[in-house]
Amino acid sequence: MFFEKFRMDGQTAVVTGGGRGIGLACAEALAEAGARIVIIDRDEAVAESGRHVLAGKGVEADALVLDVTDSAAVDTAAADIFAKHGRIDALVANAGIARTGTAAEDTPDELWLNVNDVNYNGVFWCNRAFGRYMLKAGRGAIVNIGSMSGYIVNRPQLQTYYNASKAAVHHLTASLAVEWAERGVRVNAVAPTYIETEMTKTVVDKKMMDIWIRDTPMGRMGQPHEIASVVHFLACDASSLITGATVKADGGFTCW
Ligand code: NAD
């Protein structure tokens, strides 16, 4: 009985940036809990490969090519998904970019705007669009992917724009949670440490990795499935009393 709360049978879950990395791991976890999965990704090949991975595990997911910075397209996608499935129970707003490596004083407008557009605006467009259907139904759970970078300043890499965008996601999460709490919609976030995905592969060199590991009490990076299990908990009824939280899954990084 108790573990029924962890099941999501018959529910529809949408995962942005779900074609690979943390998003794909979340899609796999929610599918295993019983949810129907809709992957959203900007990159068609990535979306398709994510769908393929899920199909290999016996999960028939939908894959939708969509850029989360396009608020009108996000609204249309939400309407289409609702029309097809008749319900939207969970959203994992995971799509994000880093573009690490530029000093604050050298940051061009384009870089600042692009990172904040995807990581922050995109999260809000998705929360708003999918949240509307949850509010109408009087139930739903949103999990936004923030970052430990919303709490600390990473070193040695420079990424003011990324850090600020993730802190904004955490506060957006709390603000929406409070506004929607009495209407049955929970909004939480997860703040991961460094996770082994394409995102970290593109910035990391041996020297940087040594610093990351040295600064992490657990002495290692995380794996996508270790974030997916937290996301699953926050997306299902097992976390029915939790809203507005940003859960750190960071190997202790933010304690030092
Ligand atoms: P990733 O680059 O492997 O995957 C991100 C996915 O999002 C890709 O499939 C990409 O195509 C998609 N995407 C990017 N921009 C998009 C857009 N505008 N619209 C739709 N889809 C888009 O990255 P990841 O490591 O899996 O990161 C996922 C999330 O976790 C991001 O929000 C990231 O900031 C966050 N995060 C990652 C780490 C880490 O160390 N990897 C740490 C903390 C937080």
Side-chain angles (χ1 to χ4, degrees):
M1 269 313 252
F2 177 75
F3 281 97
E4 278 301 300
K5 294 198 257 187
F6 290 86
R7 297 295 310 170
M8 297 177 72
D9 300 288
Q11 298 190 19
T12 303
V14 178
V15 183
T16 72
R20 72 178 193 202
I22 293 170
L24 180 57
C26 292
E28 288 183 53
L30 300 190
E32 207 174 313
R36 284 185 303 246
I37 303 296
V38 181
I39 286 175
I40 286 176
D41 209 288
R42 164 186 69 179
D43 185 318
E44 188 171 359
V46 172
E48 198 43 45
S49 84
R51 204 185 61 77
H52 194 71
V53 169
L54 290 172
K57 302 188 170 187
V59 176
E60 285 308 318
D62 292 350
L64 212 67
V65 178
L66 170 69
D67 186 329
V68 296
T69 64
D70 183 343
S71 68
V74 170
D75 285 349
T76 303
D80 290 348
I81 292 167
F82 183 76
K84 177 168 178 190
H85 295 289
R87 56 191 293 173
I88 298 170
D89 302 276
L91 165 71
V92 183
N94 160 80
I97 55 173
R99 298 187 64 185
T100 286
T102 303
E105 68 274 23
D106 298 327
T107 300
D109 292 9
E110 179 277 327
L111 175 55
W112 176 272
L113 291 170
N114 176 227
V115 172
N116 277 280
D117 207 16
V118 179
N119 292 6
Y120 178 40
N121 293 343
V123 168
F124 180 65
W125 306 146
C126 290
N127 278 234
R128 186 181 65 179
F130 292 100
R132 282 180 185 134
Y133 291 93
M134 297 178 189
L135 290 167
K136 270 190 210 143
R139 61 159 277 131
I142 295 175
V143 186
N144 294 321
I145 303 301
S147 172
M148 68 176 181
S149 307
Y151 290 106
I152 52 87
V153 175
N154 305 67
R155 59 180 174 178
Q157 72 273 30
L158 303 174
Q159 50 178 34
T160 303
Y161 33 89
Y162 181 84
N163 301 342
S165 74
K166 291 299 187 177
V169 167
H170 299 169
H171 205 58
L172 170 67
T173 298
S175 304
L176 292 173
V178 168
E179 220 171 294
W180 294 348
E182 287 187 339
R183 297 158 73 191
V185 179
R186 298 185 298 107
V187 189
N188 291 293
V190 180
T193 182
Y194 298 112
I195 307 296
E196 279 187 46
T197 66
E198 291 303 315
M199 179 180 278
T200 41
K201 276 183 206 149
T202 56
V203 291
V204 78
D205 58 30
K206 168 85 175 83
K207 226 170 106 196
M208 198 184 281
M209 170 88 82
D210 288 347
I211 295 168
W212 290 359
I213 300 299
R214 182 203 65 196
D215 287 349
T216 310
M218 280 191 178
R220 65 174 178 88
M221 290 174 71
Q223 297 301 320
H225 71 83
E226 296 181 284
I227 302 307
S229 50
V230 184
V231 167
H232 164 238
F233 170 65
L234 293 172
C236 73
D237 286 346
S239 58
S240 53
L241 194 56
I242 302 179
T243 199
T246 296
V247 178
K248 295 173 186 172
D250 67 0
F253 196 104
T254 55
C255 296
W256 270 345

